[in-house]
């Protein structure tokens, strides 16, 4: 498959296509669109830009993948991940090896050269989403983050959404993908270590100098990290890749797999997980 001219070399050297001449067209389109009301039920605010949502809901869509849905809690996700582990333990050894082999293959495909891990200052405004996603993958590789954990988290959030998701159906898949990446990129975004220095007067102390009484100077040195912001669409792009890899390894319709409880009762893996959630007080009684 040929590589486009704008996507050769390191991702930091990629550029979006020339957008000159679009300014006036976009401005006119925004003016028309902003006369409409937000697509969220019972929201009377006007739309923002070219979005079908108002500014508040559009920002939330970018951040979490849905304008109204609540986000998963850590305890909820942990139970879904434990359900995945328990189910895998019930499978024949041959099937477990097949899943492990496919996860290894998908993890190798997902990883990128460490040299692609650009600094935040190098991520210019015309960098396309595809390039930003490639740079994030390189940073995950540089930070030695296992993509198989990313795939597993995406599968767990897919199960969570089948139980808890209360957002807009059209954004459900984007919500799952965005949250999977939010977990994977914690402390794994493009960053640069900076040393800061400040000098200020100490108002609690007075010393005598040839020029009279003065407050002594205090020098403070600290280290901070400049981190690059990862936009919602880039998170969704990466999360979708992780979800596709999980489906290839674990199989589609994973949460519909049949399991048997200790008392011989047959149910789907999703229903079994709901029992665990109720036992933990995270779901109301049936």
């Amino acid at each position: 498959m040929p590589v486009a001219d704008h996507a050769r070399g390191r991702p930091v050297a990629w550029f979006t296509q020339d957008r000159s001449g679009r300014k006036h067209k976009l401005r006119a389109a925004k003016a028309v669109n902003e006369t409409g009301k937000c697509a969220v039920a019972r929201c009377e605010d006007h739309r923002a830009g070219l979005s079908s949502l108002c500014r508040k809901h559009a920002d939330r869509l970018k951040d979490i993948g849905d304008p109204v849905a609540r986000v998963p809690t850590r305890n909820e996700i942990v139970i879904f991940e434990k359900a995945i582990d328990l189910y895998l333990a019930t499978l024949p050894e041959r099937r477990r090896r097949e899943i492990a082999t496919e996860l290894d293959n998908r993890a190798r495909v997902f990883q990128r050269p460490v040299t692609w891990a650009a600094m935040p200052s190098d991520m210019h405004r015309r960098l396309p989403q595809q390039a930003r996603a490639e740079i994030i993958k390189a940073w995950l590789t540089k930070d030695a983050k296992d993509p198989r954990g990313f795939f597993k988290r995406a599968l767990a959030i897919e199960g969570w959404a089948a139980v808890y998701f209360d957002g807009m159906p059209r954004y459900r898949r984007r919500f799952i993908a965005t949250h999977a990446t939010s977990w994977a990129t914690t402390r794994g975004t493009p960053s640069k270590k900076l040393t800061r220095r400040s000098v200020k007067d100490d108002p609690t102390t007075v010393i005598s100098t040839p020029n009279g009484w003065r407050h002594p100077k205090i020098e403070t040195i600290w280290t901070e990290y400049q981190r690059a912001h990862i936009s919602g669409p880039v998170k969704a792009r990466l999360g979708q890749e992780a979800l596709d890899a999980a489906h290839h390894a674990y199989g589609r319709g994973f949460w519909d797999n049949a399991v048997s409880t200790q008392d011989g009762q047959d149910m789907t893996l999703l229903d079994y997980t709901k029992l665990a959630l109720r036992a933990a007080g995270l779901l109301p009684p049936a």
Side-chain angles (χ1 to χ4, degrees):
M1 181 177 178
V3 180
D5 291 337
H6 68 279
R8 294 182 182 275
R10 295 176 61 209
V12 73
W14 300 358
F15 283 83
T16 56
Q17 297 178 352
D18 183 19
R19 298 181 177 180
S20 59
R22 298 180 59 198
K23 183 177 179 180
H24 298 295
K25 291 181 180 180
L26 288 177
R27 184 179 297 173
K30 287 180 181 179
V32 174
N33 185 66
E34 288 174 348
T35 60
K37 294 295 182 68
C38 178
V40 174
R42 295 185 296 278
C43 180
E44 296 299 324
D45 294 336
H46 287 277
R47 297 177 179 180
L50 296 176
S51 174
S52 62
L53 306 169
C54 65
R55 175 55 56 197
K56 178 182 71 174
H57 289 122
D59 288 344
R60 201 165 190 274
L61 173 64
K62 292 178 181 178
D63 291 339
I64 71 169
D66 187 275
V68 294
R70 81 168 180 88
V71 300
T73 66
R74 183 179 181 278
N75 290 339
E76 291 166 352
I77 294 300
V78 165
I79 289 180
F80 279 93
E81 290 188 331
K82 286 183 177 179
I84 295 173
D85 294 336
L86 290 173
Y87 176 74
L88 294 180
T90 66
L91 297 177
E93 179 64 24
R94 180 178 178 181
R95 176 56 182 153
R96 288 203 299 270
R97 285 199 302 267
E98 290 175 351
I99 293 176
T101 300
E102 184 62 25
L103 287 173
D104 290 342
N105 292 337
R106 292 284 167 175
R108 283 192 292 270
V109 172
F110 188 84
Q111 291 176 328
R112 292 295 183 269
V114 174
T115 56
W116 287 12
M119 292 293 104
S121 56
D122 295 328
M123 299 179 70
H124 51 82
R125 294 183 62 183
R126 284 193 59 191
L127 201 64
Q129 289 184 12
Q130 180 185 358
R132 294 178 185 275
E134 297 298 310
I135 292 172
I136 300 305
K137 290 181 186 179
W139 271 96
L140 294 176
T141 304
K142 183 176 181 179
D143 293 340
K145 287 201 172 184
D146 190 351
R148 291 170 294 189
F150 188 9
F151 306 158
K152 180 179 175 182
R153 177 56 63 102
L155 192 64
I157 294 178
E158 183 180 50
W160 180 94
V163 177
Y164 290 103
F165 183 72
D166 58 354
M168 299 177 70
R170 61 186 290 193
Y171 297 118
R172 177 177 178 143
R173 196 169 187 84
R174 179 173 174 175
F175 175 86
I176 295 170
T178 301
H179 272 280
T181 307
S182 295
W183 169 83
T185 55
T186 301
R187 299 180 184 177
T189 59
S191 61
K192 183 178 181 180
K193 188 176 181 180
L194 301 174
T195 300
R196 301 293 190 185
R197 174 180 175 270
S198 67
V199 179
K200 62 181 180 180
D201 293 336
D202 180 6
T204 63
T205 306
V206 178
I207 60 175
S208 177
T209 69
N211 296 323
W213 296 94
R214 295 286 189 273
H215 293 295
K217 299 289 185 181
I218 298 178
E219 182 181 52
T220 304
I221 298 177
W222 72 94
T223 300
E224 65 182 29
Y225 288 88
Q226 176 189 2
R227 297 190 180 277
H229 171 69
I230 306 178
S231 67
V234 173
K235 287 184 179 181
R237 186 187 191 107
L238 289 168
Q240 188 57 55
E241 288 189 40
L243 192 60
D244 290 341
H247 288 163
H248 276 89
Y250 296 101
R252 293 190 177 274
F254 176 81
W255 296 101
D256 294 328
N257 283 312
V259 297
S260 297
T261 60
Q262 293 181 347
D263 58 2
Q265 184 179 2
D266 294 330
M267 61 180 65
T268 65
L269 180 58
L270 184 63
D271 289 335
Y272 177 82
T273 308
K274 288 180 181 179
L275 293 179
L277 291 168
R278 290 193 176 94
L282 299 175
L283 265 185

